Amino acid sequence: MTRKIILASTSSYRRELLARLGLPFEIANPQTDESPLSGEAPEALALRLSEAKARAVADQFPDALIVGSDQVAILDGQIFGKPGNHERAIEQLHQLSGRTVNFFTGLCLLNSKTGQANLQGVPTLVTFRNLTDHEIENYLRREQPYQCAGAAKVESLGIALLEHCQAD
């Protein structure tokens, strides 16, 4: 018997990425507080939240493989999370313009039957082009990446904002 795969996320972006694998999966809302802990390193935050999201839905699916994920953008030790609105997205993209940013993705695969979690962190260094006000505004109006770390959705139009991308 094949175990169910559960995506512990309501993110349409993560749903699109997982769907590319062509495997059937279900979606569950983890309802997880994404606030960083005092003194928590950005990479530790992404890993902790990816596992917390997976564990938050484990009781609903007692014999499943649950995928939890979280991403933070890190520049000069500062976390750039989801901007949430247009004005904050403008601020973030102005700060990231012309800079190299670490987009750190935490990924958790949880076996809800055994409780065993497999955690992986994936850093990706992204260099943004020098962005004009017009480019930022045009991008945000078309893409509306308000639920993406650093206001950058590189899976689609956000790729045009980048000069270079390197996965470690």
Side-chain angles (χ1 to χ4, degrees):
M1 180 177 137
T2 304
R3 285 202 176 125
K4 282 185 180 181
I5 298 173
I6 308 299
L7 176 61
S9 175
T10 57
S11 166
S12 60
Y13 315 120
R14 288 201 175 84
R15 181 175 59 242
E16 290 170 18
L17 288 172
L18 188 55
R20 290 180 189 175
L21 294 177
L23 300 172
F25 66 94
E26 296 178 31
I27 295 170
N29 184 346
Q31 298 181 345
T32 305
D33 179 2
E34 296 188 14
S35 304
L37 302 175
S38 179
E40 186 173 34
E43 296 87 351
L45 171 65
L47 290 169
R48 178 179 61 81
L49 290 178
S50 67
E51 184 173 6
K53 290 174 182 181
R55 291 197 184 279
V57 302
D59 287 345
Q60 299 170 46
F61 305 95
D63 190 15
L65 297 175
I66 303 173
V67 178
S69 182
D70 194 76
Q71 184 179 69
V72 294
I74 309 159
L75 177 63
D76 298 332
Q78 180 182 353
I79 296 173
F80 288 73
K82 300 171 185 173
N85 63 48
H86 190 80
E87 293 73 26
R88 184 71 186 121
I90 290 171
E91 290 174 23
Q92 285 189 354
L93 289 173
H94 273 294
Q95 290 178 287
L96 302 178
S97 177
R99 306 286 305 275
T100 298
V101 180
N102 178 7
F103 280 84
F104 187 87
T105 303
L107 182 63
C108 176
L109 180 62
L110 174 70
N111 179 333
S112 63
K113 187 173 186 174
T114 66
Q116 184 177 1
N118 210 340
L119 285 170
Q120 182 72 43
V122 181
T124 303
L125 296 178
V126 173
T127 303
F128 282 80
R129 294 185 308 101
N130 287 313
L131 305 172
T132 65
D133 291 345
H134 176 74
E135 288 171 323
I136 290 171
E137 188 64 36
N138 188 45
Y139 165 69
L140 292 175
R141 293 281 176 216
R142 294 182 71 194
E143 195 70 59
Q144 300 181 3
Y146 308 129
Q147 297 304 312
C148 296
K153 184 180 174 193
V154 299
E155 299 89 352
S156 57
L157 296 178
I159 197 76
L161 305 177
L162 308 182
E163 182 177 299
H164 182 71
C165 186
Q166 175 187 338
D168 283 346

Coordinates of all heavy atoms in Angstrom, one line a residue, residues 69-120:
S69 N 7.5 22.9 4.8 CA 8.6 23.7 4.2 C 8.4 25.1 4.6 O 7.3 25.6 4.9 CB 8.6 23.6 2.7 OG 9.6 24.3 2.1
D70 N 9.6 25.8 4.7 CA 9.6 27.3 5.0 C 10.8 27.9 4.4 O 11.8 27.2 4.2 CB 9.5 27.5 6.5 CG 9.2 29.0 6.8 OD1 8.0 29.3 6.7 OD2 10.1 29.7 7.1
Q71 N 10.7 29.1 4.0 CA 11.8 29.8 3.3 C 12.0 31.2 3.9 O 11.0 31.9 4.2 CB 11.6 29.9 1.8 CG 12.8 30.5 1.1 CD 12.6 30.6 -0.4 OE1 11.8 31.4 -0.8 NE2 13.3 29.8 -1.1
V72 N 13.3 31.5 4.2 CA 13.6 32.9 4.6 C 14.6 33.4 3.6 O 15.4 32.7 3.0 CB 14.1 33.0 6.0 CG1 13.1 32.5 7.0 CG2 15.4 32.1 6.2
A73 N 14.5 34.8 3.4 CA 15.6 35.5 2.7 C 16.4 36.1 3.7 O 15.9 36.8 4.6 CB 14.9 36.5 1.7
I74 N 17.8 36.0 3.5 CA 18.7 36.6 4.5 C 19.7 37.5 3.8 O 20.3 37.1 2.9 CB 19.5 35.4 5.2 CG1 18.5 34.3 5.7 CG2 20.4 36.0 6.3 CD1 19.2 33.0 5.9
L75 N 19.8 38.7 4.4 CA 20.7 39.7 3.9 C 21.4 40.4 5.1 O 20.7 40.9 5.9 CB 20.0 40.7 3.0 CG 20.9 41.8 2.4 CD1 22.0 41.3 1.5 CD2 20.1 42.9 1.7
D76 N 22.7 40.3 5.2 CA 23.4 40.9 6.3 C 22.8 40.5 7.6 O 22.7 41.3 8.6 CB 23.4 42.4 6.2 CG 24.0 43.0 4.9 OD1 25.0 42.3 4.4 OD2 23.6 44.0 4.4
G77 N 22.5 39.2 7.7 CA 22.0 38.6 9.0 C 20.5 39.0 9.3 O 20.0 38.5 10.3
Q78 N 19.9 39.8 8.4 CA 18.5 40.2 8.6 C 17.6 39.3 7.9 O 17.9 38.9 6.7 CB 18.3 41.6 8.2 CG 16.9 42.1 8.3 CD 16.7 43.5 7.8 OE1 17.6 44.2 7.4 NE2 15.4 44.0 7.8
I79 N 16.5 38.9 8.5 CA 15.5 38.0 7.8 C 14.5 38.9 7.0 O 13.9 39.8 7.6 CB 14.7 37.2 8.9 CG1 15.6 36.3 9.6 CG2 13.6 36.4 8.2 CD1 15.0 35.5 10.8
F80 N 14.3 38.5 5.8 CA 13.3 39.1 5.0 C 12.2 38.0 4.8 O 12.4 37.1 4.0 CB 13.8 39.5 3.6 CG 14.7 40.7 3.7 CD1 16.0 40.7 4.3 CD2 14.2 42.0 3.3 CE1 16.8 41.8 4.4 CE2 15.0 43.1 3.4 CZ 16.3 43.0 3.9
G81 N 11.1 38.1 5.5 CA 10.1 37.1 5.4 C 9.0 37.5 4.3 O 9.3 38.3 3.4
K82 N 7.8 37.1 4.5 CA 6.7 37.4 3.6 C 6.3 38.8 3.8 O 6.0 39.2 5.0 CB 5.5 36.5 3.9 CG 5.9 35.0 3.7 CD 4.7 34.2 4.2 CE 5.1 32.7 4.1 NZ 4.0 31.8 4.7
P83 N 6.3 39.7 2.8 CA 6.0 41.1 3.0 C 4.5 41.3 3.4 O 4.3 42.2 4.2 CB 6.3 41.7 1.7 CG 6.2 40.6 0.7 CD 6.6 39.4 1.4
G84 N 3.6 40.5 2.9 CA 2.2 40.6 3.3 C 1.4 41.7 2.6 O 0.2 41.5 2.5
N85 N 2.1 42.7 2.1 CA 1.4 43.8 1.4 C 2.3 44.5 0.4 O 3.5 44.3 0.4 CB 0.7 44.8 2.4 CG 1.7 45.5 3.2 OD1 2.7 46.1 2.7 ND2 1.5 45.6 4.5
H86 N 1.7 45.3 -0.4 CA 2.4 46.0 -1.5 C 3.5 46.9 -1.0 O 4.6 46.9 -1.5 CB 1.3 46.7 -2.4 CG 1.9 47.3 -3.7 ND1 2.1 46.5 -4.8 CD2 2.4 48.5 -4.0 CE1 2.6 47.2 -5.7 NE2 2.8 48.4 -5.3
E87 N 3.2 47.7 0.0 CA 4.1 48.7 0.5 C 5.4 48.0 1.1 O 6.5 48.4 0.8 CB 3.5 49.6 1.5 CG 2.4 50.5 1.0 CD 1.1 49.8 0.6 OE1 0.8 48.7 1.2 OE2 0.4 50.3 -0.3
R88 N 5.1 47.0 1.8 CA 6.3 46.2 2.4 C 7.1 45.5 1.3 O 8.3 45.4 1.4 CB 5.8 45.2 3.5 CG 6.8 44.5 4.2 CD 7.6 45.4 5.2 NE 8.7 44.6 5.7 CZ 10.0 44.9 5.6 NH1 10.3 46.1 5.1 NH2 10.9 44.2 6.1
A89 N 6.4 45.0 0.3 CA 7.1 44.4 -0.8 C 8.0 45.4 -1.5 O 9.2 45.0 -1.9 CB 6.1 43.7 -1.8
I90 N 7.5 46.6 -1.7 CA 8.4 47.6 -2.4 C 9.6 47.9 -1.5 O 10.7 47.9 -2.0 CB 7.6 48.9 -2.5 CG1 6.5 48.8 -3.6 CG2 8.5 50.1 -2.9 CD1 5.5 49.9 -3.7
E91 N 9.4 48.0 -0.2 CA 10.6 48.2 0.7 C 11.6 47.1 0.6 O 12.8 47.3 0.5 CB 10.1 48.3 2.2 CG 9.3 49.5 2.5 CD 8.7 49.4 3.9 OE1 9.3 48.7 4.8 OE2 7.7 50.1 4.2
Q92 N 11.1 45.8 0.6 CA 12.0 44.7 0.6 C 12.8 44.7 -0.7 O 14.0 44.5 -0.7 CB 11.2 43.4 0.7 CG 10.8 43.1 2.2 CD 10.2 41.7 2.3 OE1 10.0 41.0 1.4 NE2 9.9 41.4 3.6
L93 N 12.1 44.9 -1.8 CA 12.8 44.8 -3.1 C 13.8 45.9 -3.3 O 14.9 45.8 -3.9 CB 11.8 44.8 -4.3 CG 11.0 43.4 -4.4 CD1 9.9 43.5 -5.4 CD2 12.0 42.3 -4.7
H94 N 13.5 47.1 -2.7 CA 14.5 48.2 -2.8 C 15.7 47.8 -2.0 O 16.9 48.1 -2.4 CB 13.9 49.5 -2.2 CG 13.2 50.3 -3.2 ND1 13.8 50.9 -4.3 CD2 11.9 50.6 -3.3 CE1 12.9 51.6 -5.0 NE2 11.7 51.4 -4.5
Q95 N 15.5 47.2 -0.8 CA 16.7 46.7 0.0 C 17.5 45.6 -0.6 O 18.7 45.5 -0.5 CB 16.2 46.3 1.4 CG 15.7 47.4 2.3 CD 15.2 46.9 3.6 OE1 14.1 46.3 3.6 NE2 15.9 47.2 4.6
L96 N 16.8 44.8 -1.4 CA 17.5 43.6 -2.0 C 18.1 44.0 -3.4 O 19.0 43.3 -3.9 CB 16.5 42.5 -2.2 CG 15.8 42.0 -0.9 CD1 14.9 40.8 -1.2 CD2 16.9 41.5 0.1
S97 N 17.7 45.1 -4.0 CA 18.2 45.5 -5.3 C 19.7 45.6 -5.3 O 20.3 46.2 -4.5 CB 17.5 46.8 -5.6 OG 18.0 47.3 -6.9
G98 N 20.3 44.9 -6.3 CA 21.8 45.0 -6.5 C 22.6 44.2 -5.5 O 23.8 44.2 -5.5
R99 N 21.9 43.4 -4.6 CA 22.6 42.7 -3.6 C 22.4 41.2 -3.8 O 21.6 40.7 -4.5 CB 21.9 43.0 -2.2 CG 21.8 44.5 -1.9 CD 23.2 45.2 -1.5 NE 23.9 44.5 -0.4 CZ 23.7 44.7 0.9 NH1 22.8 45.6 1.3 NH2 24.4 44.1 1.8
T100 N 23.3 40.4 -3.1 CA 23.3 39.0 -3.1 C 22.6 38.5 -1.8 O 23.1 38.9 -0.7 CB 24.7 38.3 -3.3 OG1 25.2 38.8 -4.5 CG2 24.6 36.8 -3.3
V101 N 21.6 37.7 -2.0 CA 20.7 37.3 -0.9 C 20.7 35.8 -0.8 O 20.7 35.1 -1.8 CB 19.3 37.8 -1.1 CG1 18.3 37.4 0.0 CG2 19.2 39.3 -1.3
N102 N 20.7 35.3 0.5 CA 20.6 33.8 0.7 C 19.2 33.5 0.9 O 18.6 33.9 1.9 CB 21.5 33.4 1.9 CG 21.4 31.9 2.2 OD1 20.8 31.2 1.4 ND2 21.9 31.5 3.3
F103 N 18.6 32.8 0.0 CA 17.2 32.3 0.2 C 17.4 30.9 0.7 O 17.8 29.9 0.0 CB 16.4 32.2 -1.2 CG 15.9 33.6 -1.5 CD1 16.7 34.5 -2.2 CD2 14.6 33.9 -1.2 CE1 16.1 35.7 -2.6 CE2 14.1 35.1 -1.5 CZ 14.8 36.0 -2.2
F104 N 17.1 30.7 2.0 CA 17.3 29.4 2.7 C 16.0 28.7 2.8 O 15.1 29.3 3.5 CB 18.0 29.7 4.1 CG 18.4 28.4 4.7 CD1 19.6 27.8 4.5 CD2 17.5 27.7 5.6 CE1 20.0 26.6 5.1 CE2 17.9 26.6 6.2 CZ 19.1 26.0 6.0
T105 N 15.9 27.5 2.3 CA 14.7 26.8 2.4 C 14.8 25.6 3.3 O 15.8 24.8 3.2 CB 14.3 26.2 1.0 OG1 14.2 27.3 0.1 CG2 13.0 25.4 1.0
G106 N 13.9 25.5 4.3 CA 13.9 24.4 5.2 C 12.9 23.4 4.6 O 11.8 23.8 4.2
L107 N 13.2 22.1 4.6 CA 12.3 21.1 4.1 C 12.3 19.9 5.1 O 13.3 19.5 5.6 CB 12.8 20.6 2.7 CG 12.0 19.6 2.0 CD1 10.6 20.1 1.7 CD2 12.7 19.1 0.8
C108 N 11.1 19.5 5.4 CA 10.9 18.4 6.4 C 10.0 17.3 5.7 O 8.9 17.7 5.2 CB 10.2 18.9 7.6 SG 9.8 17.5 8.8
L109 N 10.4 16.1 5.8 CA 9.6 15.0 5.4 C 9.4 14.2 6.6 O 10.3 13.6 7.2 CB 10.3 14.1 4.3 CG 9.4 12.9 3.8 CD1 8.1 13.3 3.2 CD2 10.3 12.1 2.8
L110 N 8.1 14.1 7.1 CA 7.7 13.5 8.3 C 6.9 12.2 8.0 O 5.9 12.3 7.3 CB 6.9 14.5 9.2 CG 6.3 13.9 10.4 CD1 7.4 13.6 11.5 CD2 5.2 14.8 11.0
N111 N 7.4 11.1 8.6 CA 6.6 9.9 8.6 C 5.7 9.9 9.8 O 6.1 9.8 10.9 CB 7.6 8.7 8.6 CG 6.8 7.4 8.6 OD1 5.7 7.2 9.0 ND2 7.5 6.3 8.2
S112 N 4.4 10.2 9.6 CA 3.5 10.4 10.7 C 3.3 9.1 11.5 O 2.9 9.1 12.6 CB 2.2 11.0 10.3 OG 1.5 10.1 9.4
K113 N 3.5 8.0 10.8 CA 3.3 6.7 11.5 C 4.4 6.4 12.6 O 4.1 6.0 13.7 CB 3.3 5.5 10.5 CG 3.0 4.2 11.1 CD 2.8 3.1 10.1 CE 2.3 1.8 10.7 NZ 2.0 0.8 9.7
T114 N 5.7 6.8 12.3 CA 6.8 6.6 13.2 C 7.2 7.8 13.9 O 7.9 7.8 14.9 CB 8.0 6.1 12.4 OG1 8.5 7.1 11.5 CG2 7.7 4.8 11.6
G115 N 6.8 9.0 13.4 CA 7.2 10.3 14.0 C 8.5 10.7 13.6 O 9.0 11.8 14.0
Q116 N 9.2 9.9 12.7 CA 10.5 10.3 12.3 C 10.5 11.4 11.3 O 9.7 11.3 10.3 CB 11.2 9.0 11.7 CG 12.7 9.3 11.3 CD 13.4 8.1 10.8 OE1 12.8 7.0 10.7 NE2 14.7 8.2 10.5
A117 N 11.3 12.4 11.5 CA 11.4 13.5 10.6 C 12.8 13.6 9.9 O 13.8 13.3 10.6 CB 11.1 14.8 11.3
N118 N 12.8 13.9 8.6 CA 14.0 14.0 7.9 C 14.1 15.5 7.5 O 13.2 16.0 6.8 CB 14.0 13.2 6.6 CG 15.3 12.7 6.2 OD1 16.3 13.3 6.5 ND2 15.4 11.7 5.4
L119 N 15.1 16.3 8.0 CA 15.2 17.7 7.7 C 16.3 18.0 6.8 O 17.4 17.4 6.9 CB 15.4 18.4 9.0 CG 14.2 18.6 10.0 CD1 14.7 19.2 11.3 CD2 13.2 19.5 9.4
Q120 N 16.1 18.9 5.9 CA 17.1 19.3 5.0 C 17.1 20.9 4.8 O 16.0 21.4 4.7 CB 16.9 18.7 3.6 CG 18.0 19.0 2.6 CD 19.3 18.3 2.9 OE1 19.4 17.1 3.3 NE2 20.4 19.0 2.7

